[in-house]
Amino acid sequence: MLILGIDPGTATTGYGFLNIHKLPKEGEKLNGHYTAGDFGLIETTMLNTPGERLYFIHNELRKIIEKHKPHVMAIEKVFFATNRKTAIRVGQAQGVMLMAAAHFSIAVVEYSPMTIKKIVAGNGRADKKQVQKSVRDYLGNSIKSKPKKKTHFDNEADALAVALCHAMSLTELQED
């Protein structure tokens, strides 16, 4: 199973793939049954209009989905931020991401930031560094930002964390 994790944003959207080779047996941990796949960023510029940014995000995500053919897309839910304008823009970006998934008939699951942090880092209030450390612990220290002008490894790590959260949720469902 190939899971596409998404950390939505309008300026920077992180994406990351997690390949589950086989679901573990009851009582067995997920470790060793998965590998990280491609991960990266979809970046837009403030020079574009909001509509152009959304269009770009949608097209780039469609290309990524078409190339990798994931079975499911796990996305971080928008939470109500103190900056309402940002929350609305991120919600709009999520809308075009959902549209891209629907185009390819990919199932979508959503997780709150607190749930992702709780499942992946063991603490629903974990900070960015704790999430990054947990992602590296699960996926190996070789998970580093790719060389580019700007580095936003936190967005990539968050996307991988969303994919890990979904994978871990699958194994919990199996145990019930």
Side-chain angles (χ1 to χ4, degrees), residues 131-150:
V131 171
Q132 287 178 21
K133 182 185 180 321
S134 293
V135 166
R136 284 190 173 111
D137 287 347
Y138 282 112
L139 300 176
N141 285 326
S142 63
I143 303 296
K144 292 186 171 126
S145 187
K146 298 172 187 170
K148 54 185 154 274
K149 292 184 290 188
K150 289 170 42 175

Side-chain angles (χ1 to χ4, degrees), residues 56-75:
F56 181 78
I57 292 166
H58 180 260
N59 281 342
E60 290 302 302
L61 187 56
R62 279 185 57 172
K63 289 176 194 173
I64 291 165
I65 290 171
E66 191 165 27
K67 177 181 177 184
H68 295 285
K69 298 176 181 27
H71 297 98
V72 63
M73 184 169 86
I75 189 167

Side-chain angles (χ1 to χ4, degrees), residues 6 8-10 13 54-55 57-58 61 73 75-76 78 87-103 108 110:
I6 298 285
T10 52
T13 292
L54 293 173
Y55 183 78
I57 292 166
H58 180 260
L61 187 56
M73 184 169 86
I75 189 167
E76 184 177 308
V78 172
I88 289 168
R89 290 284 187 225
V90 173
Q92 291 171 336
Q94 279 184 315
V96 300
M97 293 169 195
L98 295 174
M99 225 168 76
H103 178 81
V108 177
E110 296 179 291

Side-chain angles (χ1 to χ4, degrees), residues 7 12 14-15 39-41 43 128-129 131-136 139-146 148 150-161:
D7 177 36
T12 306
Y15 68 89
F39 61 92
L41 302 171
E43 295 180 274
K128 292 273 188 195
K129 288 187 188 278
V131 171
Q132 287 178 21
K133 182 185 180 321
S134 293
V135 166
R136 284 190 173 111
L139 300 176
N141 285 326
S142 63
I143 303 296
K144 292 186 171 126
S145 187
K146 298 172 187 170
K148 54 185 154 274
K150 289 170 42 175
T151 58
H152 296 281
F153 182 67
D154 56 335
N155 298 104
E156 294 165 332
D158 285 352
L160 289 166

Side-chain angles (χ1 to χ4, degrees), residues 10-28:
T10 52
T12 306
T13 292
Y15 68 89
F17 287 92
L18 185 70
N19 190 3
I20 300 178
H21 305 292
K22 67 176 186 168
L23 285 175
K25 295 176 185 166
E26 188 173 332
E28 192 179 22

